[in-house]
Amino acid sequence: SVTTTAEMIAIAVTPSAATAPCPACGRRSDRVHARYRRTLADLAVGARRVVLVVTARKFRCPHAGCPRRLFCERLTGAADAHAQTTTRLAHLHRLL
């Protein structure tokens, strides 16, 4: 969904992949443990700032020997792990 105000455009998104790979062992999991909200700043549109509100998931690793029992799905191509901005905005910041 999209919400607009005079100063901001907020876009609510949810990743649609059925599974996610564990960052520690690489095994794919479809066992969703929880959901959480992540907010990412994106490139502005005109004078309006753009914010992505992502409802991401935490998964359980299916491998019993993996050191990570829970992991968060990655937003590959859109944002780095733990980032508060999109990859596009981070690139612009580095250029400046």
Side-chain angles (χ1 to χ4, degrees), residues 2-11 39-53 84-85 88-89:
V2 178
T3 305
T4 60
T5 66
E7 302 86 26
M8 179 180 68
I9 300 171
I11 304 168
T39 304
L40 301 168
D42 197 10
L43 292 173
V45 174
R48 292 182 181 172
R49 65 187 180 107
V50 176
V51 176
L52 300 179
V53 181
Q84 295 180 359
T85 63
R88 299 180 328 158
L89 184 57

Side-chain angles (χ1 to χ4, degrees), residues 28-72:
R28 298 194 75 79
S29 177
D30 63 353
R31 298 174 55 199
V32 176
H33 172 71
R35 287 177 171 72
Y36 68 101
R37 205 164 262 171
R38 190 170 167 191
T39 304
L40 301 168
D42 197 10
L43 292 173
V45 174
R48 292 182 181 172
R49 65 187 180 107
V50 176
V51 176
L52 300 179
V53 181
V54 181
T55 301
R57 299 167 291 182
K58 291 184 180 183
F59 288 89
R60 290 187 183 276
C61 183
H63 180 53
C66 182
R68 295 192 70 168
R69 302 179 83 169
L70 298 175
F71 63 92
C72 301

